[in-house]
Amino acid sequence: MLIASGPSSQELGKKTAELMKAKTIAVASKRFPDGESYIRFDDELVGEEVIIIQTASPPQDTNMFQLFLMADTAKDMGAERVIAVIPYLAYARQDKRFLHGEAFSVLTVAKLLERVGVDQLLTVNARQKVLDEFPFPAKTVSAIPLLAQYCKNKGIEEAFSLAPDEGAKDYAMEGAKILGGGYGWRHKERDRHTGAISFRDEEYDVKGKDAVIFDDIISTGGTTADSAKMLKAQGARRVFCACVHPLLIGDAEKKIMNNGAEEIVGTDCVPSPLSKVSVAPLIAKTLLGR
Ligand code: R5P
């Protein structure tokens, strides 16, 4: 088994390989002045199982294309199996055809991965239901317990765990298992044409208590900012925001902090200054436990 850390997950790949005590292979990469990517393996791959760790956070298309180049080249060089670890699986939110004629984007990604020789996929906090439609084994694991543990280690205990929508309900449940303090979720609706979101809330058990918002993604920050504001309005003492994939587009961080949050914590599925929790132990354990 050889671990290849792609350009977008150098640190995470290194940490994972160390935890697995696995052999690593060097991946040389560069971008040409026009933006095209270059990839080169420096080792022999004949007959090997190659695990490529490459997240597909922004710039999604570039990172995904570099993964295509690595997988295809590994197979061309004689690798027997290629396992793609894509901690942030770009396009996973378009996991069905919501409107007539729309691209079913994540399935297009799956077909391309299969075409370049990927035999298996491991990702973090995507929806297993759509992964089951992939033309090869694809699995997701959850980093929410790691985020909840980070909060607990900071002394945030008996906090209420909130999911900003029903789809994230399991995240709040996972958080509550570690933090205690109960859990709940908001009712969110999104206009599929304009993208505008609206919420319906109940009274949550947060008066005078700490609260943690758990979500898979913070993109523009609108969902988390609104949730933080709602929790404060309902009397929460302190509000923490924990997400697996901190995309933090534009002024997302500022927006959330301005709405009463104490701290935002993310994982290194998406490298950012707020990615204080590493998913390396989770990935290593999952790969070793196959
Ligand atoms: C949506 O279902 C996701 O779980 C996130 O809540 C969403 O992607 C967050 O987006 P934004 O930060 O732009 O509100």
Side-chain angles (χ1 to χ4, degrees), residues 160-166 172 181-188 199-211 213 226-227 229-236:
F160 183 83
S161 299
L162 180 82
D165 59 51
E166 201 168 350
Y183 69 92
W185 63 93
R186 307 184 80 191
H187 302 274
K188 179 170 102 175
F199 292 97
R200 195 162 42 79
D201 291 306
E202 47 199 81
E203 273 299 311
Y204 302 102
D205 174 25
V206 292
K207 222 171 242 356
K209 282 169 72 171
D210 286 341
I213 303 165
D226 192 90
S227 300
K229 191 172 159 190
M230 181 279 294
L231 287 169
K232 289 300 277 186
Q234 288 203 10

PDB file of all heavy atoms in Angstrom, residues 160-166 172 181-188 199-211 213 226-227 229-236:
ATOM      1  N   PHE A 160     -26.171  22.533  24.107  1.00  0.00           N
ATOM      2  CA  PHE A 160     -27.227  22.081  23.205  1.00  0.00           C
ATOM      3  C   PHE A 160     -26.648  21.984  21.789  1.00  0.00           C
ATOM      4  O   PHE A 160     -25.965  22.900  21.325  1.00  0.00           O
ATOM      5  CB  PHE A 160     -28.379  23.101  23.239  1.00  0.00           C
ATOM      6  CG  PHE A 160     -29.550  22.709  22.398  1.00  0.00           C
ATOM      7  CD1 PHE A 160     -30.511  21.825  22.894  1.00  0.00           C
ATOM      8  CD2 PHE A 160     -29.708  23.216  21.112  1.00  0.00           C
ATOM      9  CE1 PHE A 160     -31.595  21.457  22.113  1.00  0.00           C
ATOM     10  CE2 PHE A 160     -30.795  22.848  20.330  1.00  0.00           C
ATOM     11  CZ  PHE A 160     -31.732  21.965  20.828  1.00  0.00           C
ATOM     12  N   SER A 161     -26.881  20.868  21.114  1.00  0.00           N
ATOM     13  CA  SER A 161     -26.377  20.691  19.740  1.00  0.00           C
ATOM     14  C   SER A 161     -27.498  20.988  18.756  1.00  0.00           C
ATOM     15  O   SER A 161     -28.573  20.399  18.839  1.00  0.00           O
ATOM     16  CB  SER A 161     -25.905  19.247  19.524  1.00  0.00           C
ATOM     17  OG  SER A 161     -24.847  18.955  20.408  1.00  0.00           O
ATOM     18  N   LEU A 162     -27.228  21.912  17.838  1.00  0.00           N
ATOM     19  CA  LEU A 162     -28.255  22.303  16.869  1.00  0.00           C
ATOM     20  C   LEU A 162     -27.834  21.967  15.447  1.00  0.00           C
ATOM     21  O   LEU A 162     -26.695  22.243  15.041  1.00  0.00           O
ATOM     22  CB  LEU A 162     -28.522  23.819  16.952  1.00  0.00           C
ATOM     23  CG  LEU A 162     -29.592  24.308  15.969  1.00  0.00           C
ATOM     24  CD1 LEU A 162     -30.996  24.065  16.520  1.00  0.00           C
ATOM     25  CD2 LEU A 162     -29.404  25.765  15.602  1.00  0.00           C
ATOM     26  N   ALA A 163     -28.747  21.388  14.688  1.00  0.00           N
ATOM     27  CA  ALA A 163     -28.527  21.204  13.249  1.00  0.00           C
ATOM     28  C   ALA A 163     -29.320  22.303  12.536  1.00  0.00           C
ATOM     29  O   ALA A 163     -30.485  22.526  12.880  1.00  0.00           O
ATOM     30  CB  ALA A 163     -29.032  19.839  12.812  1.00  0.00           C
ATOM     31  N   PRO A 164     -28.718  22.980  11.572  1.00  0.00           N
ATOM     32  CA  PRO A 164     -29.439  24.077  10.932  1.00  0.00           C
ATOM     33  C   PRO A 164     -30.530  23.633   9.965  1.00  0.00           C
ATOM     34  O   PRO A 164     -31.281  24.458   9.464  1.00  0.00           O
ATOM     35  CB  PRO A 164     -28.349  24.859  10.196  1.00  0.00           C
ATOM     36  CG  PRO A 164     -27.178  23.983  10.154  1.00  0.00           C
ATOM     37  CD  PRO A 164     -27.339  22.860  11.122  1.00  0.00           C
ATOM     38  N   ASP A 165     -30.617  22.349   9.676  1.00  0.00           N
ATOM     39  CA  ASP A 165     -31.744  21.853   8.885  1.00  0.00           C
ATOM     40  C   ASP A 165     -31.951  20.376   9.183  1.00  0.00           C
ATOM     41  O   ASP A 165     -31.098  19.730   9.804  1.00  0.00           O
ATOM     42  CB  ASP A 165     -31.560  22.110   7.375  1.00  0.00           C
ATOM     43  CG  ASP A 165     -30.312  21.458   6.821  1.00  0.00           C
ATOM     44  OD1 ASP A 165     -30.114  20.252   7.050  1.00  0.00           O
ATOM     45  OD2 ASP A 165     -29.525  22.146   6.147  1.00  0.00           O
ATOM     46  N   GLU A 166     -33.072  19.850   8.710  1.00  0.00           N
ATOM     47  CA  GLU A 166     -33.405  18.468   9.054  1.00  0.00           C
ATOM     48  C   GLU A 166     -32.395  17.478   8.476  1.00  0.00           C
ATOM     49  O   GLU A 166     -32.103  16.439   9.082  1.00  0.00           O
ATOM     50  CB  GLU A 166     -34.819  18.130   8.576  1.00  0.00           C
ATOM     51  CG  GLU A 166     -35.368  16.958   9.317  1.00  0.00           C
ATOM     52  CD  GLU A 166     -36.860  16.745   9.111  1.00  0.00           C
ATOM     53  OE1 GLU A 166     -37.517  17.634   8.531  1.00  0.00           O
ATOM     54  OE2 GLU A 166     -37.330  15.675   9.526  1.00  0.00           O
ATOM     55  N   ALA A 172     -26.356  16.733  14.669  1.00  0.00           N
ATOM     56  CA  ALA A 172     -26.689  17.230  16.010  1.00  0.00           C
ATOM     57  C   ALA A 172     -26.759  16.056  16.994  1.00  0.00           C
ATOM     58  O   ALA A 172     -26.309  16.164  18.139  1.00  0.00           O
ATOM     59  CB  ALA A 172     -28.008  17.987  15.981  1.00  0.00           C
ATOM     60  N   GLY A 181     -26.511  17.572  26.881  1.00  0.00           N
ATOM     61  CA  GLY A 181     -27.182  18.861  26.684  1.00  0.00           C
ATOM     62  C   GLY A 181     -28.310  18.870  25.671  1.00  0.00           C
ATOM     63  O   GLY A 181     -28.900  19.916  25.408  1.00  0.00           O
ATOM     64  N   GLY A 182     -28.586  17.730  25.048  1.00  0.00           N
ATOM     65  CA  GLY A 182     -29.726  17.653  24.118  1.00  0.00           C
ATOM     66  C   GLY A 182     -29.427  18.173  22.731  1.00  0.00           C
ATOM     67  O   GLY A 182     -28.366  18.738  22.473  1.00  0.00           O
ATOM     68  N   TYR A 183     -30.395  17.960  21.843  1.00  0.00           N
ATOM     69  CA  TYR A 183     -30.194  18.407  20.462  1.00  0.00           C
ATOM     70  C   TYR A 183     -31.529  18.769  19.813  1.00  0.00           C
ATOM     71  O   TYR A 183     -32.596  18.412  20.317  1.00  0.00           O
ATOM     72  CB  TYR A 183     -29.496  17.322  19.637  1.00  0.00           C
ATOM     73  CG  TYR A 183     -30.335  16.096  19.370  1.00  0.00           C
ATOM     74  CD1 TYR A 183     -31.118  16.007  18.219  1.00  0.00           C
ATOM     75  CD2 TYR A 183     -30.362  15.047  20.275  1.00  0.00           C
ATOM     76  CE1 TYR A 183     -31.910  14.891  17.981  1.00  0.00           C
ATOM     77  CE2 TYR A 183     -31.154  13.931  20.046  1.00  0.00           C
ATOM     78  CZ  TYR A 183     -31.928  13.852  18.892  1.00  0.00           C
ATOM     79  OH  TYR A 183     -32.710  12.759  18.662  1.00  0.00           O
ATOM     80  N   GLY A 184     -31.420  19.468  18.702  1.00  0.00           N
ATOM     81  CA  GLY A 184     -32.615  19.815  17.935  1.00  0.00           C
ATOM     82  C   GLY A 184     -32.203  20.255  16.544  1.00  0.00           C
ATOM     83  O   GLY A 184     -31.009  20.326  16.241  1.00  0.00           O
ATOM     84  N   TRP A 185     -33.184  20.543  15.714  1.00  0.00           N
ATOM     85  CA  TRP A 185     -32.873  20.988  14.354  1.00  0.00           C
ATOM     86  C   TRP A 185     -33.891  22.024  13.887  1.00  0.00           C
ATOM     87  O   TRP A 185     -34.996  22.090  14.406  1.00  0.00           O
ATOM     88  CB  TRP A 185     -32.803  19.814  13.382  1.00  0.00           C
ATOM     89  CG  TRP A 185     -34.102  19.071  13.213  1.00  0.00           C
ATOM     90  CD1 TRP A 185     -35.063  19.295  12.269  1.00  0.00           C
ATOM     91  CD2 TRP A 185     -34.593  18.010  14.037  1.00  0.00           C
ATOM     92  NE1 TRP A 185     -36.112  18.436  12.454  1.00  0.00           N
ATOM     93  CE2 TRP A 185     -35.851  17.625  13.520  1.00  0.00           C
ATOM     94  CE3 TRP A 185     -34.096  17.335  15.161  1.00  0.00           C
ATOM     95  CZ2 TRP A 185     -36.618  16.607  14.077  1.00  0.00           C
ATOM     96  CZ3 TRP A 185     -34.864  16.314  15.720  1.00  0.00           C
ATOM     97  CH2 TRP A 185     -36.094  15.957  15.176  1.00  0.00           C
ATOM     98  N   ARG A 186     -33.479  22.833  12.923  1.00  0.00           N
ATOM     99  CA  ARG A 186     -34.340  23.862  12.358  1.00  0.00           C
ATOM    100  C   ARG A 186     -35.039  23.310  11.115  1.00  0.00           C
ATOM    101  O   ARG A 186     -34.581  22.330  10.521  1.00  0.00           O
ATOM    102  CB  ARG A 186     -33.523  25.100  11.970  1.00  0.00           C
ATOM    103  CG  ARG A 186     -32.667  25.638  13.071  1.00  0.00           C
ATOM    104  CD  ARG A 186     -31.966  26.911  12.630  1.00  0.00           C
ATOM    105  NE  ARG A 186     -32.838  28.072  12.712  1.00  0.00           N
ATOM    106  CZ  ARG A 186     -32.540  29.261  12.196  1.00  0.00           C
ATOM    107  NH1 ARG A 186     -31.403  29.435  11.532  1.00  0.00           N
ATOM    108  NH2 ARG A 186     -33.367  30.278  12.326  1.00  0.00           N
ATOM    109  N   HIS A 187     -36.085  23.960  10.742  1.00  0.00           N
ATOM    110  CA  HIS A 187     -36.759  23.565   9.495  1.00  0.00           C
ATOM    111  C   HIS A 187     -36.377  24.609   8.450  1.00  0.00           C
ATOM    112  O   HIS A 187     -36.742  25.778   8.568  1.00  0.00           O
ATOM    113  CB  HIS A 187     -38.270  23.522   9.719  1.00  0.00           C
ATOM    114  CG  HIS A 187     -38.637  22.573  10.832  1.00  0.00           C
ATOM    115  ND1 HIS A 187     -38.827  21.237  10.636  1.00  0.00           N
ATOM    116  CD2 HIS A 187     -38.771  22.785  12.173  1.00  0.00           C
ATOM    117  CE1 HIS A 187     -39.090  20.647  11.792  1.00  0.00           C
ATOM    118  NE2 HIS A 187     -39.056  21.569  12.744  1.00  0.00           N
ATOM    119  N   LYS A 188     -35.591  24.164   7.474  1.00  0.00           N
ATOM    120  CA  LYS A 188     -35.071  25.112   6.471  1.00  0.00           C
ATOM    121  C   LYS A 188     -35.669  24.811   5.107  1.00  0.00           C
ATOM    122  O   LYS A 188     -35.784  23.649   4.730  1.00  0.00           O
ATOM    123  CB  LYS A 188     -33.544  24.987   6.427  1.00  0.00           C
ATOM    124  CG  LYS A 188     -32.869  25.908   5.408  1.00  0.00           C
ATOM    125  CD  LYS A 188     -31.362  25.917   5.582  1.00  0.00           C
ATOM    126  CE  LYS A 188     -30.657  25.075   4.555  1.00  0.00           C
ATOM    127  NZ  LYS A 188     -29.193  25.173   4.629  1.00  0.00           N
ATOM    128  N   PHE A 199     -36.395  29.896   7.345  1.00  0.00           N
ATOM    129  CA  PHE A 199     -36.399  28.957   8.471  1.00  0.00           C
ATOM    130  C   PHE A 199     -37.709  29.015   9.252  1.00  0.00           C
ATOM    131  O   PHE A 199     -38.363  30.061   9.307  1.00  0.00           O
ATOM    132  CB  PHE A 199     -35.276  29.315   9.464  1.00  0.00           C
ATOM    133  CG  PHE A 199     -33.896  29.096   8.929  1.00  0.00           C
ATOM    134  CD1 PHE A 199     -33.170  30.146   8.385  1.00  0.00           C
ATOM    135  CD2 PHE A 199     -33.320  27.830   8.960  1.00  0.00           C
ATOM    136  CE1 PHE A 199     -31.894  29.945   7.897  1.00  0.00           C
ATOM    137  CE2 PHE A 199     -32.042  27.632   8.478  1.00  0.00           C
ATOM    138  CZ  PHE A 199     -31.323  28.691   7.942  1.00  0.00           C
ATOM    139  N   ARG A 200     -38.025  27.906   9.869  1.00  0.00           N
ATOM    140  CA  ARG A 200     -39.127  27.830  10.826  1.00  0.00           C
ATOM    141  C   ARG A 200     -38.519  27.226  12.090  1.00  0.00           C
ATOM    142  O   ARG A 200     -37.829  26.210  12.018  1.00  0.00           O
ATOM    143  CB  ARG A 200     -40.217  26.930  10.251  1.00  0.00           C
ATOM    144  CG  ARG A 200     -41.561  27.013  10.943  1.00  0.00           C
ATOM    145  CD  ARG A 200     -42.676  26.447  10.047  1.00  0.00           C
ATOM    146  NE  ARG A 200     -42.308  25.216   9.358  1.00  0.00           N
ATOM    147  CZ  ARG A 200     -42.309  24.016   9.918  1.00  0.00           C
ATOM    148  NH1 ARG A 200     -42.599  23.868  11.189  1.00  0.00           N
ATOM    149  NH2 ARG A 200     -41.991  22.928   9.215  1.00  0.00           N
ATOM    150  N   ASP A 201     -38.744  27.893  13.232  1.00  0.00           N
ATOM    151  CA  ASP A 201     -38.103  27.424  14.463  1.00  0.00           C
ATOM    152  C   ASP A 201     -39.095  27.100  15.558  1.00  0.00           C
ATOM    153  O   ASP A 201     -40.214  27.596  15.565  1.00  0.00           O
ATOM    154  CB  ASP A 201     -37.141  28.501  14.997  1.00  0.00           C
ATOM    155  CG  ASP A 201     -35.955  28.668  14.094  1.00  0.00           C
ATOM    156  OD1 ASP A 201     -35.291  27.663  13.804  1.00  0.00           O
ATOM    157  OD2 ASP A 201     -35.702  29.807  13.633  1.00  0.00           O
ATOM    158  N   GLU A 202     -38.628  26.285  16.492  1.00  0.00           N
ATOM    159  CA  GLU A 202     -39.384  26.039  17.719  1.00  0.00           C
ATOM    160  C   GLU A 202     -38.575  26.642  18.872  1.00  0.00           C
ATOM    161  O   GLU A 202     -37.521  27.230  18.621  1.00  0.00           O
ATOM    162  CB  GLU A 202     -39.587  24.535  17.903  1.00  0.00           C
ATOM    163  CG  GLU A 202     -38.317  23.748  17.704  1.00  0.00           C
ATOM    164  CD  GLU A 202     -38.528  22.264  17.414  1.00  0.00           C
ATOM    165  OE1 GLU A 202     -38.822  21.883  16.265  1.00  0.00           O
ATOM    166  OE2 GLU A 202     -38.357  21.514  18.380  1.00  0.00           O
ATOM    167  N   GLU A 203     -39.076  26.497  20.085  1.00  0.00           N
ATOM    168  CA  GLU A 203     -38.286  26.932  21.253  1.00  0.00           C
ATOM    169  C   GLU A 203     -37.277  25.833  21.554  1.00  0.00           C
ATOM    170  O   GLU A 203     -37.671  24.685  21.801  1.00  0.00           O
ATOM    171  CB  GLU A 203     -39.203  27.104  22.479  1.00  0.00           C
ATOM    172  CG  GLU A 203     -39.865  28.463  22.630  1.00  0.00           C
ATOM    173  CD  GLU A 203     -38.877  29.608  22.784  1.00  0.00           C
ATOM    174  OE1 GLU A 203     -37.958  29.514  23.622  1.00  0.00           O
ATOM    175  OE2 GLU A 203     -39.026  30.603  22.046  1.00  0.00           O
ATOM    176  N   TYR A 204     -36.003  26.151  21.508  1.00  0.00           N
ATOM    177  CA  TYR A 204     -34.987  25.150  21.825  1.00  0.00           C
ATOM    178  C   TYR A 204     -34.559  25.320  23.286  1.00  0.00           C
ATOM    179  O   TYR A 204     -34.671  26.421  23.844  1.00  0.00           O
ATOM    180  CB  TYR A 204     -33.787  25.298  20.878  1.00  0.00           C
ATOM    181  CG  TYR A 204     -34.180  25.166  19.416  1.00  0.00           C
ATOM    182  CD1 TYR A 204     -34.312  26.301  18.606  1.00  0.00           C
ATOM    183  CD2 TYR A 204     -34.462  23.929  18.858  1.00  0.00           C
ATOM    184  CE1 TYR A 204     -34.697  26.195  17.276  1.00  0.00           C
ATOM    185  CE2 TYR A 204     -34.852  23.808  17.528  1.00  0.00           C
ATOM    186  CZ  TYR A 204     -34.962  24.949  16.750  1.00  0.00           C
ATOM    187  OH  TYR A 204     -35.355  24.832  15.435  1.00  0.00           O
ATOM    188  N   ASP A 205     -34.005  24.243  23.849  1.00  0.00           N
ATOM    189  CA  ASP A 205     -33.626  24.250  25.258  1.00  0.00           C
ATOM    190  C   ASP A 205     -32.235  24.892  25.422  1.00  0.00           C
ATOM    191  O   ASP A 205     -31.255  24.206  25.692  1.00  0.00           O
ATOM    192  CB  ASP A 205     -33.628  22.773  25.739  1.00  0.00           C
ATOM    193  CG  ASP A 205     -33.114  22.629  27.150  1.00  0.00           C
ATOM    194  OD1 ASP A 205     -33.206  23.614  27.915  1.00  0.00           O
ATOM    195  OD2 ASP A 205     -32.607  21.533  27.484  1.00  0.00           O
ATOM    196  N   VAL A 206     -32.175  26.206  25.200  1.00  0.00           N
ATOM    197  CA  VAL A 206     -30.865  26.866  25.193  1.00  0.00           C
ATOM    198  C   VAL A 206     -30.721  28.013  26.194  1.00  0.00           C
ATOM    199  O   VAL A 206     -29.637  28.575  26.320  1.00  0.00           O
ATOM    200  CB  VAL A 206     -30.518  27.409  23.773  1.00  0.00           C
ATOM    201  CG1 VAL A 206     -30.292  26.273  22.817  1.00  0.00           C
ATOM    202  CG2 VAL A 206     -31.579  28.358  23.260  1.00  0.00           C
ATOM    203  N   LYS A 207     -31.804  28.356  26.867  1.00  0.00           N
ATOM    204  CA  LYS A 207     -31.736  29.517  27.785  1.00  0.00           C
ATOM    205  C   LYS A 207     -30.616  29.347  28.806  1.00  0.00           C
ATOM    206  O   LYS A 207     -30.597  28.368  29.545  1.00  0.00           O
ATOM    207  CB  LYS A 207     -33.082  29.690  28.494  1.00  0.00           C
ATOM    208  CG  LYS A 207     -33.490  31.142  28.578  1.00  0.00           C
ATOM    209  CD  LYS A 207     -34.884  31.333  29.057  1.00  0.00           C
ATOM    210  CE  LYS A 207     -35.863  31.985  28.141  1.00  0.00           C
ATOM    211  NZ  LYS A 207     -35.681  32.505  26.936  1.00  0.00           N
ATOM    212  N   GLY A 208     -29.663  30.268  28.785  1.00  0.00           N
ATOM    213  CA  GLY A 208     -28.574  30.235  29.763  1.00  0.00           C
ATOM    214  C   GLY A 208     -27.553  29.129  29.540  1.00  0.00           C
ATOM    215  O   GLY A 208     -26.656  28.935  30.365  1.00  0.00           O
ATOM    216  N   LYS A 209     -27.707  28.389  28.416  1.00  0.00           N
ATOM    217  CA  LYS A 209     -26.782  27.278  28.149  1.00  0.00           C
ATOM    218  C   LYS A 209     -25.882  27.620  26.971  1.00  0.00           C
ATOM    219  O   LYS A 209     -26.226  28.452  26.134  1.00  0.00           O
ATOM    220  CB  LYS A 209     -27.585  26.020  27.726  1.00  0.00           C
ATOM    221  CG  LYS A 209     -28.221  25.281  28.864  1.00  0.00           C
ATOM    222  CD  LYS A 209     -29.193  24.225  28.363  1.00  0.00           C
ATOM    223  CE  LYS A 209     -28.520  23.023  27.737  1.00  0.00           C
ATOM    224  NZ  LYS A 209     -29.501  21.942  27.457  1.00  0.00           N
ATOM    225  N   ASP A 210     -24.769  26.896  26.867  1.00  0.00           N
ATOM    226  CA  ASP A 210     -23.964  26.992  25.648  1.00  0.00           C
ATOM    227  C   ASP A 210     -24.643  26.183  24.546  1.00  0.00           C
ATOM    228  O   ASP A 210     -25.403  25.250  24.832  1.00  0.00           O
ATOM    229  CB  ASP A 210     -22.563  26.424  25.886  1.00  0.00           C
ATOM    230  CG  ASP A 210     -21.706  27.373  26.723  1.00  0.00           C
ATOM    231  OD1 ASP A 210     -22.055  28.575  26.799  1.00  0.00           O
ATOM    232  OD2 ASP A 210     -20.694  26.920  27.289  1.00  0.00           O
ATOM    233  N   ALA A 211     -24.357  26.557  23.305  1.00  0.00           N
ATOM    234  CA  ALA A 211     -24.933  25.813  22.176  1.00  0.00           C
ATOM    235  C   ALA A 211     -23.866  25.658  21.093  1.00  0.00           C
ATOM    236  O   ALA A 211     -23.005  26.527  20.929  1.00  0.00           O
ATOM    237  CB  ALA A 211     -26.140  26.548  21.622  1.00  0.00           C
ATOM    238  N   ILE A 213     -23.541  24.715  16.958  1.00  0.00           N
ATOM    239  CA  ILE A 213     -24.208  24.444  15.674  1.00  0.00           C
ATOM    240  C   ILE A 213     -23.319  23.477  14.911  1.00  0.00           C
ATOM    241  O   ILE A 213     -22.139  23.762  14.680  1.00  0.00           O
ATOM    242  CB  ILE A 213     -24.373  25.749  14.852  1.00  0.00           C
ATOM    243  CG1 ILE A 213     -25.147  26.794  15.657  1.00  0.00           C
ATOM    244  CG2 ILE A 213     -25.041  25.460  13.508  1.00  0.00           C
ATOM    245  CD1 ILE A 213     -25.042  28.206  15.090  1.00  0.00           C
ATOM    246  N   ASP A 226     -27.428  32.883  10.565  1.00  0.00           N
ATOM    247  CA  ASP A 226     -28.827  32.994  10.971  1.00  0.00           C
ATOM    248  C   ASP A 226     -29.107  32.105  12.186  1.00  0.00           C
ATOM    249  O   ASP A 226     -29.857  32.477  13.082  1.00  0.00           O
ATOM    250  CB  ASP A 226     -29.738  32.583   9.793  1.00  0.00           C
ATOM    251  CG  ASP A 226     -31.174  32.957  10.046  1.00  0.00           C
ATOM    252  OD1 ASP A 226     -31.573  34.074   9.681  1.00  0.00           O
ATOM    253  OD2 ASP A 226     -31.895  32.132  10.663  1.00  0.00           O
ATOM    254  N   SER A 227     -28.458  30.938  12.204  1.00  0.00           N
ATOM    255  CA  SER A 227     -28.677  30.003  13.322  1.00  0.00           C
ATOM    256  C   SER A 227     -28.070  30.556  14.612  1.00  0.00           C
ATOM    257  O   SER A 227     -28.655  30.424  15.698  1.00  0.00           O
ATOM    258  CB  SER A 227     -28.069  28.635  12.994  1.00  0.00           C
ATOM    259  OG  SER A 227     -28.668  28.119  11.829  1.00  0.00           O
ATOM    260  N   LYS A 229     -27.649  33.707  15.339  1.00  0.00           N
ATOM    261  CA  LYS A 229     -28.497  34.829  15.747  1.00  0.00           C
ATOM    262  C   LYS A 229     -29.765  34.319  16.452  1.00  0.00           C
ATOM    263  O   LYS A 229     -30.160  34.820  17.501  1.00  0.00           O
ATOM    264  CB  LYS A 229     -28.889  35.601  14.479  1.00  0.00           C
ATOM    265  CG  LYS A 229     -29.533  36.915  14.708  1.00  0.00           C
ATOM    266  CD  LYS A 229     -29.676  37.610  13.382  1.00  0.00           C
ATOM    267  CE  LYS A 229     -30.740  38.675  13.456  1.00  0.00           C
ATOM    268  NZ  LYS A 229     -31.052  39.176  12.131  1.00  0.00           N
ATOM    269  N   MET A 230     -30.354  33.275  15.887  1.00  0.00           N
ATOM    270  CA  MET A 230     -31.576  32.698  16.472  1.00  0.00           C
ATOM    271  C   MET A 230     -31.281  32.152  17.877  1.00  0.00           C
ATOM    272  O   MET A 230     -32.049  32.370  18.816  1.00  0.00           O
ATOM    273  CB  MET A 230     -32.082  31.602  15.527  1.00  0.00           C
ATOM    274  CG  MET A 230     -33.346  30.892  15.949  1.00  0.00           C
ATOM    275  SD  MET A 230     -33.091  29.580  17.164  1.00  0.00           S
ATOM    276  CE  MET A 230     -32.153  28.389  16.243  1.00  0.00           C
ATOM    277  N   LEU A 231     -30.146  31.435  18.018  1.00  0.00           N
ATOM    278  CA  LEU A 231     -29.816  30.851  19.326  1.00  0.00           C
ATOM    279  C   LEU A 231     -29.595  31.940  20.370  1.00  0.00           C
ATOM    280  O   LEU A 231     -30.048  31.826  21.516  1.00  0.00           O
ATOM    281  CB  LEU A 231     -28.573  29.959  19.213  1.00  0.00           C
ATOM    282  CG  LEU A 231     -28.780  28.623  18.493  1.00  0.00           C
ATOM    283  CD1 LEU A 231     -27.441  27.951  18.201  1.00  0.00           C
ATOM    284  CD2 LEU A 231     -29.668  27.683  19.317  1.00  0.00           C
ATOM    285  N   LYS A 232     -28.914  33.007  19.974  1.00  0.00           N
ATOM    286  CA  LYS A 232     -28.688  34.120  20.912  1.00  0.00           C
ATOM    287  C   LYS A 232     -30.028  34.750  21.294  1.00  0.00           C
ATOM    288  O   LYS A 232     -30.273  35.037  22.451  1.00  0.00           O
ATOM    289  CB  LYS A 232     -27.764  35.184  20.293  1.00  0.00           C
ATOM    290  CG  LYS A 232     -26.309  34.772  20.142  1.00  0.00           C
ATOM    291  CD  LYS A 232     -25.617  34.428  21.440  1.00  0.00           C
ATOM    292  CE  LYS A 232     -25.101  35.613  22.195  1.00  0.00           C
ATOM    293  NZ  LYS A 232     -24.307  35.181  23.386  1.00  0.00           N
ATOM    294  N   ALA A 233     -30.902  34.921  20.288  1.00  0.00           N
ATOM    295  CA  ALA A 233     -32.219  35.527  20.548  1.00  0.00           C
ATOM    296  C   ALA A 233     -33.032  34.649  21.495  1.00  0.00           C
ATOM    297  O   ALA A 233     -33.859  35.154  22.266  1.00  0.00           O
ATOM    298  CB  ALA A 233     -32.971  35.741  19.235  1.00  0.00           C
ATOM    299  N   GLN A 234     -32.798  33.351  21.450  1.00  0.00           N
ATOM    300  CA  GLN A 234     -33.533  32.446  22.353  1.00  0.00           C
ATOM    301  C   GLN A 234     -32.846  32.311  23.713  1.00  0.00           C
ATOM    302  O   GLN A 234     -33.255  31.504  24.541  1.00  0.00           O
ATOM    303  CB  GLN A 234     -33.682  31.065  21.705  1.00  0.00           C
ATOM    304  CG  GLN A 234     -34.686  31.056  20.550  1.00  0.00           C
ATOM    305  CD  GLN A 234     -35.265  29.662  20.278  1.00  0.00           C
ATOM    306  OE1 GLN A 234     -35.075  28.728  21.054  1.00  0.00           O
ATOM    307  NE2 GLN A 234     -35.990  29.551  19.189  1.00  0.00           N
ATOM    308  N   GLY A 235     -31.769  33.063  23.928  1.00  0.00           N
ATOM    309  CA  GLY A 235     -31.163  33.121  25.260  1.00  0.00           C
ATOM    310  C   GLY A 235     -29.935  32.258  25.467  1.00  0.00           C
ATOM    311  O   GLY A 235     -29.518  32.051  26.616  1.00  0.00           O
ATOM    312  N   ALA A 236     -29.341  31.728  24.387  1.00  0.00           N
ATOM    313  CA  ALA A 236     -28.132  30.911  24.562  1.00  0.00           C
ATOM    314  C   ALA A 236     -27.016  31.772  25.155  1.00  0.00           C
ATOM    315  O   ALA A 236     -26.890  32.963  24.834  1.00  0.00           O
ATOM    316  CB  ALA A 236     -27.686  30.332  23.226  1.00  0.00           C
TER     317      ALA A 236
END
